[in-house]
Amino acid sequence: MKPIKFALLSILTLGCTAGGLNLDFDVTPTGELNTEDLHIYLQPINSDANAPELSRTEKGTYTTSLEPDPSGIYYLYATLPDVQMSVPVYIVPKHNKEKIKLSKGANYALITSLNDAPNKALSAFAEKTIDKARTIGTRLSELSDGQVKSLLSSYTSDADSIIAIKKLPQPVQDYIRMWAYTAANDANSLAEHLAHHAGRKLNFSTEDILPAAASVLDNPMATAFQSAPLTIMKSIPRGPLSARMASLYSMYKTPEVRDMVTPLLVNSFLDTFDYCNNFEDGDRELQAVISQYELPSSYLDTFRSRSASIPGAAFPEVKLVDKDGNTVDFSSFKGKYVYVDLWASWCGPCCQEVPYLQALEKELDGGDVVFVSISTDSKKEPWLKKMTQLEMHGNQLWNSDGELAKKLNVRGIPHFLLYNPDGTLNTYNMSRPSAPETKLKLQSLKK
């Protein structure tokens, strides 16, 4: 199931397994939802599997029977051809079927017929969250920094008020607190983004509106929130990978949280490490971390495969094809210096360099330098179209799977490299074709 438009939904269910009770219910869509195009799915909150679809009966209702998940929490999705909607609800397994009426509300929300205290609490918080997000998205320019700060701080205070007023099961309390925290963090990011584009800088930070992430998100339920992993990662002090891993294990005691964030920390290390320098130090540090925390050895394989960015390294073994689909071996350019341009059709700065590159290639034709442009486009058609538009000629190749950029640890394009006649890397960060020093450097090269 691929969501088209997303609105947060959770169906929270206490896993009452006593007496072997299953979760049995019928959902009856009303109004605009009463159509055969409607599909409804149910998924345990911490499941990575595809959400199973509820069965549609001849009467137009949707039904299912399943064993309650130990977490007691599920996601329910209701989709139409052009929209996905959701609603938070709480259901306790009963001896008789729970009958729920479902209708379409504003802002792609769903409204249910459930009216007990947990569902009232979830509905109330959902309404407040939608209103706050709408206010930030449409009225930020009208609000002072103090008003924005107060609005963002109110996510957690509203959650605390709702929890205090109503007697709620602990899982619902935990969920609302984490929902408030992640929603406030996301809203703060939106506010910062909108303010930046308006030439404005907010005079407060995330720490001014939210408590420490570990005080709320050190809970197995945090894995159910899409933005929680990055939020937790940002709460960990910067530094060497070994220090960040130690901080993770010190600040967060929940195994599920550690398992969720560890790949982010290691991959961040892999993506930002300066492979051109300190390669051996990085290799030793990663080996030690893998051993201490019993991590997959594949992380070390990935690290070592990126040694291709070190001067003197051979060109990575990746698949390169020309416009006709023929495989091209980079070793076929041996015997001359090779000036490599990594680019993509969607990259404006890349396309701006093309005329300068072609002029250099024409001016240095017959010399000791060959020019090779390698597209990192994920699809062939945009690459071919842009080549035609820019009248690109010469050695035009395509690496469709993105492995070249990964193995060279290239994090931005255009990126230029220079290879020696023997096929080894000469310069990892070569100057652009538009830079005057590029021509001088290439003219000075002699085999």
Side-chain angles (χ1 to χ4, degrees):
M1 180 187 66
K2 296 181 178 179
I4 302 165
K5 293 180 181 177
F6 179 82
L8 176 65
L9 158 77
S10 319
I11 174 165
L12 287 90
T13 309
L14 268 187
C16 181
T17 58
L21 291 181
N22 276 1
L23 178 65
D24 297 324
F25 63 93
D26 283 332
V27 177
T28 302
T30 62
E32 295 179 53
L33 297 182
N34 190 11
T35 168
E36 292 185 358
D37 291 330
L38 180 70
H39 297 271
I40 299 177
Y41 303 82
L42 181 66
Q43 183 179 37
I45 195 169
N46 291 317
S47 173
D48 293 328
N50 290 331
E53 183 173 358
L54 275 64
S55 301
R56 180 182 171 90
T57 69
E58 294 181 356
K59 295 180 180 180
T61 63
Y62 294 78
T63 184
T64 191
S65 177
L66 68 157
E67 183 179 345
D69 187 84
S71 71
I73 303 173
Y74 302 81
Y75 284 125
L76 180 72
Y77 307 96
T79 70
L80 290 170
D82 62 344
V83 65
Q84 177 170 304
M85 295 168 287
S86 57
V87 63
V89 283
Y90 172 84
I91 304 173
V92 177
K94 302 176 181 177
H95 288 285
N96 58 317
K97 277 191 175 183
E98 183 78 60
K99 297 184 181 296
I100 305 172
K101 288 185 179 180
L102 211 59
S103 58
K104 182 177 179 292
N107 299 303
Y108 305 107
L110 292 176
I111 300 173
T112 76
S113 57
L114 297 172
N115 200 34
D116 52 75
N119 281 294
K120 284 183 178 180
L122 291 166
S123 295
F125 189 73
E127 184 176 347
K128 289 179 179 294
T129 299
I130 292 172
D131 287 343
K132 294 179 199 301
R134 185 190 301 115
T135 299
I136 291 172
T138 61
R139 296 183 50 215
L140 183 71
S141 61
E142 305 171 21
L143 304 176
S144 67
D145 284 8
Q147 289 173 318
V148 176
K149 180 181 177 182
S150 178
L151 180 63
L152 294 172
S153 300
S154 68
Y155 278 88
T156 52
S157 59
D158 283 347
D160 290 339
S161 297
I162 289 173
I163 291 170
I165 293 172
K166 301 180 183 298
K167 187 176 182 180
L168 303 175
Q170 192 62 48
V172 179
Q173 294 184 39
D174 291 345
Y175 181 83
I176 291 178
R177 287 194 177 96
M178 275 178 275
W179 185 1
Y181 193 98
T182 55
N185 191 71
D186 293 344
N188 182 57
S189 296
L190 173 62
E192 289 178 340
H193 174 76
L194 294 174
H196 175 75
H197 278 271
R200 172 183 173 188
K201 180 174 175 58
L202 300 177
N203 64 1
F204 59 87
S205 65
T206 306
E207 291 74 18
D208 295 323
I209 62 171
L210 290 172
S215 67
V216 179
L217 300 180
D218 191 13
N219 186 305
M221 199 178 293
T223 61
F225 292 86
Q226 194 172 32
S227 62
L230 188 57
T231 300
I232 294 170
M233 183 179 171
K234 287 181 178 179
S235 74
I236 298 170
R238 293 189 176 277
L241 176 61
S242 55
R244 301 200 79 188
M245 287 294 296
S247 294
L248 171 64
Y249 272 67
S250 173
M251 297 166 63
Y252 295 90
K253 306 303 181 183
T254 304
E256 293 88 345
V257 170
R258 292 172 172 177
D259 291 344
M260 174 178 66
V261 178
T262 291
L264 295 181
L265 291 177
V266 179
N267 285 322
S268 175
F269 169 81
L270 293 172
D271 291 340
T272 60
F273 188 79
D274 183 5
Y275 292 87
C276 295
N277 302 292
N278 307 317
F279 181 84
E280 293 183 357
D281 292 340
D283 190 284
R284 283 193 294 269
E285 180 180 17
L286 184 56
Q287 284 190 66
V289 168
I290 288 173
S291 176
Q292 181 176 353
Y293 298 99
E294 300 180 346
L295 305 182
S297 61
S298 57
Y299 286 129
L300 192 59
D301 295 337
T302 299
F303 181 89
R304 290 174 177 172
S305 73
R306 296 182 181 181
S307 62
S309 61
I310 301 174
F315 189 84
E317 292 187 8
V318 295
K319 183 179 181 181
L320 301 174
V321 298
D322 62 21
K323 64 180 181 180
D324 298 318
N326 301 312
T327 300
V328 177
D329 193 328
F330 190 81
S331 64
S332 63
F333 301 111
K334 280 186 176 181
K336 288 194 173 186
Y337 288 95
V338 186
Y339 184 74
V340 177
D341 168 24
L342 292 184
W343 73 291
S345 63
W346 47 263
C347 171
C350 298
C351 297
Q352 291 172 8
E353 290 293 328
V354 169
Y356 296 99
L357 181 67
Q358 292 178 324
L360 269 179
E361 185 173 1
K362 183 177 181 180
E363 191 168 350
L364 300 179
D365 183 44
D368 292 327
V369 181
V370 63
F371 295 81
V372 178
S373 294
I374 303 177
S375 168
T376 61
D377 281 285
S378 59
K379 294 184 179 180
K380 187 176 183 179
E381 290 72 20
W383 169 52
L384 295 176
K385 182 178 180 181
K386 185 60 68 173
M387 277 200 299
T388 300
Q389 290 176 347
L390 298 178
E391 298 180 351
M392 298 175 72
H393 56 261
N395 299 302
Q396 301 296 328
L397 304 178
W398 178 43
N399 174 236
S400 62
D401 58 11
E403 282 300 306
L404 179 58
K406 290 180 182 178
K407 290 185 176 182
L408 285 172
N409 198 38
V410 170
R411 297 188 292 275
I413 53 176
H415 187 96
F416 301 90
L417 309 99
L418 180 66
Y419 280 85
N420 295 311
D422 63 359
T424 60
L425 182 62
N426 178 296
T427 307
Y428 179 67
N429 274 308
M430 187 64 183
S431 54
R432 297 187 176 194
S434 58
E437 62 267 26
T438 303
K439 178 181 176 181
L440 295 176
K441 168 73 173 179
L442 296 180
Q443 284 178 323
S444 69
L445 297 173
K446 301 296 179 182
K447 293 188 293 183

